[in-house]
Amino acid sequence: ILMSPAGNVFRVPFIPFTLPYISANALMEKYFPPRMYFPAAQIPQSAAKQLPPENRDTLILFQNKVSDIEEANWDTNHIKTAIAATINELDMKMSRLGQPLRVALTGRSQAPSVDDLIIFLGKKKTLARIKQAVCFINQQNINLAPYKNTDNS
């Protein structure tokens, strides 16, 4: 278990027993390398495929659900509840939300679990990265209606 820069507890996947000592920073670099997240303008084309126009409204709905979570309640249970509420409201499978959300949060199509990423990043960074991904979708698809920010920050 590690403490993220946002002050949240983060579960790290399997750590080999053969390592006598490894610092928290080394673990963070292994599982969240510094270049793991790309700004919207630099999202690789392979990952950008996961951000087509139809995913925009899904990301906005999830952003609204997550923005309702109080900072004090920012934990796995509340994040999973927001994910489940979004999936149920849109009558979709987790993969239809998970892949675009993973790309929005990291700029990659392969990354750790979405709820772990969200806890690790914290509320402010999560909301900012989702907003940035929605703006990326808008830039790629000029014919979409403008993004309306519904959070109060």
Side-chain angles (χ1 to χ4, degrees), residues 126-140:
T126 296
L127 293 174
R129 290 182 181 188
I130 293 171
K131 179 179 178 181
Q132 194 172 23
V134 170
C135 290
F136 174 82
I137 292 170
N138 288 343
Q139 289 171 358
Q140 300 302 309

Side-chain angles (χ1 to χ4, degrees), residues 1-6 8-14 28 31-32 36 62 74-77 79-80 83 94 101-102 105-106 111-123 126 129:
I1 295 179
L2 298 174
M3 185 72 74
S4 76
N8 298 310
V9 175
F10 180 71
R11 296 180 316 244
V12 176
F14 173 74
M28 296 309 287
Y31 292 105
F32 291 95
M36 183 172 196
F62 181 73
W74 194 256
D75 60 24
T76 305
N77 292 333
I79 300 301
K80 286 184 178 183
I83 291 170
M94 175 57 189
L101 194 52
R102 192 171 280 115
L105 297 174
T106 66
S113 71
V114 172
D115 54 328
D116 284 342
L117 282 171
I118 293 170
I119 293 295
F120 174 74
L121 291 171
K123 183 176 182 175
T126 296
R129 290 182 181 188

